[in-house]
Amino acid sequence: CKQVEGTMTEYHKPPKQAKVAILTAGGLAPCLSSSVGFLIEKYTARNPSIEIICYISGYKGLLSGEHVKVTDAVRENASVLQLHGGSPIGNSRVKLTNVEDCVKRGLVVEGENPLHRAAEQLMMDQVTILHTIGGDDTNTQAAKIAEYLEGHNYPVTVVGMPKTIDNDVVPIKQSLGAWTAAEEGAKFFANVVNEQSANPRMLIIHECMGRDCGYLTAATAKAYMDSLHGLPLLPGLNLTKQRKCLHAVYVPEVRIDVDAEARRLKRVMDTHDCVNIFLSEGAGVHDIVAQLEARGESVPRDAFGHVKLDKVQPGAYFAKQFAEKLGAEKVLVQKSGYMARAAPANVADRALINACATLAVECGIKGNSGCIGQDEERGDSLRAIEFPRIKGGKAFDVRVDWFQDLLRQVNSV
């Protein structure tokens, strides 16, 4: 079907029977598989005659029309998805409003609007309810598609579920998967910390995901420090809590005074023969990027305009900054991000996902669009939050009691 800018190809009128489509998009989080499973189960319990399809690889699949139908066998065994991480239907980082990138990927042709193409595909597939599981970009893009279709007399109810391990979506109190990611990151470091015994004067930096929000780093640090409570140790043989403890936690919301911190950590190194640091991958990035660009170096960015952190490597940057100042003999930088984000949802996250999915299905059937979450601006009530209010970049509130308690523990070593 050839599309002309500003027009919509004529298809059948919206079907009387509801038809559901599900897609997952953006980076992974420990909630995607669980969310897909709960949605399938709840629609089946509500009305097994409702057809469900899943677009493959997020918005890439929507643009290409690639999808799978949820069969009776899948419905009967959807609970299996609670045991798995990742997304069974695949993700991609396609931004519908980045026309140049969509053309480059071969998803649309030159002069074609990806939003129109996606809207047209939903009409072709006769979808009446679209569930998007992703971050702020995923859900606001879906809202734009729905708005476009509404203007062409093809109403689609769009109900999002907030996925991000950074917990940085405004105004949502707790995004899906963030609790699990923190728990998994703590487990990861519980093994890595033993590397302090591999070499004298060891500096270990645990780099956690978190571009502009320090929540995941802070929550992971808290989960790890909590895990040390009651852990049997043997101080008489140098197996001490001080060597297992964290000695610094750095998040993007707090500027790092490298010289002052180096003086403090040098005393820790001299006393305990090791230093353990938790670093958010976004901490200090603005300073690093400024230095690179001042030297005339280009800083690569993704389709969303985000700096590609794997190219900037904040962990390596701070390792170099601290190593000499602390007199470290060996430096180890380890990243838990991929392990943490690809894990199956834990008990706490599954309970939240279950509640969100229940309301998402209810909203879908009733025709109420929005992103399901605990609305911080409405008394933390679980509701379909209006899409125009959904935004990314929520900063971690470093003033919360549990984080201040954590810093006191860390700084007292």
Side-chain angles (χ1 to χ4, degrees):
C1 298
K2 186 176 179 180
Q3 179 182 306
V4 179
E5 181 68 29
T7 68
M8 177 66 74
T9 307
E10 292 296 325
Y11 293 110
H12 299 295
K13 292 180 180 180
K16 295 181 180 179
Q17 171 72 6
K19 183 175 180 179
V20 174
I22 301 170
L23 66 80
T24 59
L28 295 185
C31 65
L32 300 172
S33 184
S34 176
S35 297
V36 173
F38 276 131
L39 287 172
I40 291 171
E41 286 184 312
K42 292 180 187 303
Y43 270 111
T44 301
R46 182 70 180 259
N47 184 352
S49 69
I50 294 178
E51 185 177 352
I52 305 173
I53 63 172
C54 296
Y55 287 109
I56 301 300
S57 299
Y59 284 118
K60 179 178 183 292
L62 176 54
L63 289 174
S64 65
E66 184 181 4
H67 67 263
V68 294
K69 181 177 179 179
V70 176
T71 64
D72 289 342
V74 171
R75 291 173 190 261
E76 291 170 8
N77 295 283
S79 62
V80 168
L81 295 177
Q82 303 302 326
L83 306 175
H84 296 273
S87 171
I89 55 178
N91 283 27
S92 65
R93 289 188 177 275
V94 172
K95 187 172 185 177
L96 299 178
T97 53
N98 189 334
V99 180
E100 183 181 352
D101 184 65
C102 288
V103 171
K104 183 179 178 180
R105 292 171 183 256
L107 298 174
V108 296
V109 297
E110 193 75 44
E112 188 176 19
N113 187 325
L115 280 169
H116 297 176
R117 171 73 169 272
E120 190 167 87
Q121 188 63 51
L122 288 171
M123 280 183 60
M124 289 177 62
D125 294 333
Q126 295 194 306
V127 170
T128 61
I129 303 170
L130 174 64
H131 287 287
T132 55
I133 308 164
D136 58 293
D137 279 317
T138 297
N139 288 300
T140 52
Q141 287 182 88
K144 289 180 180 178
I145 297 173
E147 183 181 345
Y148 183 83
L149 286 170
E150 183 71 34
H152 287 78
N153 299 315
Y154 191 98
V156 170
T157 300
V158 179
V159 184
M161 292 175 66
K163 171 251 17 154
T164 167
I165 60 176
D166 295 344
N167 197 31
D168 63 347
V169 179
V170 176
I172 294 172
K173 180 180 181 180
Q174 188 67 37
S175 59
L176 308 179
W179 281 328
T180 304
E183 181 181 271
E184 293 296 323
K187 292 178 184 176
F188 172 88
F189 192 72
N191 284 349
V192 171
V193 71
N194 296 318
E195 286 291 329
Q196 48 85 12
S197 64
N199 206 84
R201 301 188 70 82
M202 187 76 164
L203 170 61
I204 301 177
I205 295 180
H206 176 197
E207 186 177 331
C208 299
M209 287 186 169
R211 179 179 300 278
D212 296 307
C213 178
Y215 169 85
L216 181 60
T217 300
T220 304
K222 182 181 185 303
Y224 173 72
M225 290 293 281
D226 286 349
S227 73
L228 297 181
H229 297 325
L231 180 68
L233 297 166
L234 196 59
L237 209 57
N238 290 330
L239 187 57
T240 65
K241 187 174 182 179
Q242 289 81 3
R243 291 171 68 89
K244 293 270 191 177
C245 270
L246 302 183
H247 305 121
V249 178
Y250 301 133
V251 296
E253 292 81 0
V254 180
R255 183 178 175 275
I256 304 171
D257 186 334
V258 175
D259 290 332
E261 281 294 278
R263 288 192 294 271
R264 180 180 71 84
L265 294 175
K266 174 72 159 50
R267 293 192 294 270
V268 174
M269 180 70 85
D270 292 342
T271 304
H272 302 293
D273 204 39
C274 64
V275 167
N276 305 317
I277 296 174
F278 268 37
L279 172 75
S280 171
E281 65 180 356
V285 164
H286 295 300
D287 292 336
I288 299 171
V289 169
Q291 290 179 25
L292 292 173
E293 291 179 336
R295 295 200 298 263
E297 298 180 33
S298 62
V299 179
R301 289 175 166 81
D302 63 17
F304 295 86
H306 301 147
V307 171
K308 291 187 176 181
L309 295 173
D310 59 329
K311 305 298 183 184
V312 176
Q313 297 187 26
Y317 172 85
F318 281 104
K320 184 178 180 180
Q321 292 283 308
F322 281 120
E324 184 177 349
K325 296 177 186 291
L326 303 186
E329 289 190 17
K330 187 174 180 181
V331 179
L332 181 66
V333 178
Q334 292 287 290
K335 302 179 182 181
S336 63
Y338 291 112
M339 173 190 171
R341 76 177 197 170
N346 66 10
V347 173
D349 262 317
R350 287 200 303 273
L352 181 58
I353 295 164
N354 186 18
C356 288
T358 299
L359 183 57
V361 169
E362 191 71 27
C363 289
I365 290 173
K366 290 182 177 179
N368 299 330
S369 291
C371 185
I372 305 299
Q374 298 159 306
D375 192 338
E376 291 185 304
E377 298 169 2
R378 302 290 189 277
D380 294 342
S381 62
L382 187 65
R383 58 187 299 274
I385 301 170
E386 299 77 11
F387 280 117
R389 295 176 54 220
I390 299 295
K391 298 178 179 63
K394 181 178 78 172
F396 170 57
D397 185 358
V398 297
R399 300 167 300 175
V400 294
D401 290 343
W402 64 263
F403 184 63
Q404 289 301 312
D405 288 342
L406 173 68
L407 291 182
R408 280 190 285 272
Q409 290 180 60
V410 168
N411 292 330
S412 68
V413 176

